[in-house]
């Protein structure tokens, strides 16, 4: 059991060091920031909290990192990789392509199926309530997404986010998505092939960036 009174500087530095052993700098920054928010709220509510958490050497600065996305050529490479039909990577690729061509978050594109497709003024669209925000999104149905639905009779396979992130790295490596990307880790520059940095969020960033570069109207 930990009380507020236990949160002296030595304990906070130990906590920070513990986080830094296995987590990226910006992840530690996010955790410490949330931790500070809880303690600030406790003080507002009249609780006695040691102020060591405000010391500069307890803080972790945010490090600006490259925001990667997959361009159209790289997406075409992923589509062109030869895989056994309905194999593990083939199924993952199909879900990946749904994300890349819809811009949905993982929590939404992983549950997307034929039931979210409707007709609007003679055009097929995706109409879906976003799990994170609760709001509805309307997205034109891309032909490649429509073909994936046909392939699985409207119900593409489901996979956990952890496995999805691992398998799309493998897929992107096979596709030769290996542009060198520079990052900062523990105050040192580190170079990674691009496929190692791919995760589910790249779908959303790629959709938005490629749409912007193609001059797609952002107000639909």
């Amino acid at each position: 059991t930990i009380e507020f009174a236990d949160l002296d500087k030595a304990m906070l530095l130990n906590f920070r060091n513990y986080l830094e052993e296995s987590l990226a700098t910006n992840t530690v920054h996010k955790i410490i920031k949330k931790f500070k928010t809880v303690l600030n709220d406790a003080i507002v509510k009249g609780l006695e909290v040691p102020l060591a958490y405000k010391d500069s050497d307890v803080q972790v600065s945010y490090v600006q990192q490259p925001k990667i996305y997959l361009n159209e050529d790289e997406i075409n490479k992923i589509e062109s990789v030869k895989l056994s039909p309905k194999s593990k990577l083939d199924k993952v690729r199909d879900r990946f392509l749904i994300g890349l061509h819809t811009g949905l978050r993982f929590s939404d594109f992983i549950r997307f199926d034929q039931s979210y497709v409707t007709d609007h003024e003679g055009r097929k669209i995706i109409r879906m309530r976003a799990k994170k925000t609760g709001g509805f999104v309307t997205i034109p149905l891309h032909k490649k997404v429509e073909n994936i639905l046909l392939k699985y009779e409207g119900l593409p396979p489901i996979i956990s986010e952890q496995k999805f992130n691992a398998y799309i790295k493998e897929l992107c490596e096979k596709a030769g998505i290996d542009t060198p990307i520079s990052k900062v880790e523990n105050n040192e520059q580190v170079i990674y092939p691009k496929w190692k940095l791919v995760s589910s969020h790249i779908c959303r960033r790629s959709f938005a960036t490629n749409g912007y570069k193609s001059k797609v109207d952002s107000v639909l």
Side-chain angles (χ1 to χ4, degrees):
T1 300
I2 298 174
E3 303 292 339
F4 283 124
D6 298 326
L7 300 178
D8 58 18
K9 191 164 187 175
M11 183 175 185
L12 293 174
L13 289 175
N14 284 335
F15 178 54
R16 172 183 164 167
N17 292 337
Y18 167 76
L19 295 175
E20 289 177 333
E21 286 178 4
S22 58
L23 299 176
T25 300
N26 286 349
T27 303
V28 178
H29 165 79
K30 187 184 296 184
I31 293 171
I32 296 294
K33 185 177 179 181
K34 290 181 178 179
F35 189 63
K36 284 179 61 181
T37 299
V38 172
L39 298 183
N40 286 336
D41 188 61
I43 290 174
V44 170
K45 288 181 168 61
L47 299 172
E48 291 187 12
V49 178
L51 299 181
Y53 75 94
K54 295 187 176 184
D55 290 357
S56 60
D57 51 349
V58 174
Q59 313 309 313
V60 177
S61 298
Y62 179 83
V63 178
Q64 189 68 39
Q65 301 283 22
K67 305 295 185 183
I68 64 169
Y69 77 101
L70 296 173
N71 60 40
E72 296 288 356
D73 287 341
E74 290 170 326
I75 294 173
N76 288 335
K77 283 184 178 181
I78 291 168
E79 293 176 347
S80 300
V81 174
K82 291 187 177 181
L83 301 170
S84 300
K86 303 259 182 110
S87 63
K88 173 190 72 180
L89 284 185
D90 186 44
K91 293 176 181 177
V92 168
R93 174 170 61 185
D94 287 335
R95 273 294 178 189
F96 195 24
L97 292 173
I98 289 174
L100 289 167
H101 291 305
T102 62
L104 293 167
R105 294 182 179 86
F106 178 85
S107 58
D108 296 324
F109 75 69
I110 198 61
R111 60 191 175 90
F112 167 74
D113 58 36
Q114 185 65 44
S115 66
Y116 295 101
V117 177
T118 186
D119 288 316
H120 178 69
E121 298 180 353
R123 187 181 187 185
K124 289 185 178 180
I125 62 169
I126 299 168
R127 177 71 172 161
M128 197 172 198
R129 187 170 185 265
K131 193 170 184 179
K132 182 176 181 178
T133 65
F136 279 88
V137 294
T138 302
I139 306 165
L141 181 66
H142 196 288
K143 186 63 179 177
K144 290 178 180 178
V145 175
E146 185 176 14
N147 289 337
I148 291 170
L149 291 175
L150 289 172
K151 178 179 177 179
Y152 296 99
E153 298 181 347
L155 295 168
I158 294 176
I159 186 174
S160 71
E161 187 168 13
Q162 182 180 14
K163 288 184 177 179
F164 180 83
N165 284 334
Y167 293 157
I168 60 175
K169 286 179 173 61
E170 183 179 345
L171 175 63
C172 288
E173 183 181 17
K174 282 182 176 291
I177 312 300
D178 55 6
T179 303
I181 304 294
S182 175
K183 292 188 67 178
V184 176
E185 294 183 357
N186 298 320
N187 294 319
E188 293 185 1
Q189 182 181 13
V190 183
I191 308 295
Y192 288 105
K194 192 173 185 177
W195 63 265
K196 275 197 170 185
L197 303 178
V198 169
S199 68
S200 60
H201 191 66
I202 204 170
C203 296
R204 205 163 159 76
R205 190 177 296 124
S206 301
F207 178 83
T209 305
N210 290 326
Y212 175 79
K213 290 174 72 174
S214 299
K215 296 182 169 50
V216 173
D217 189 351
S218 61
V219 182
L220 296 175

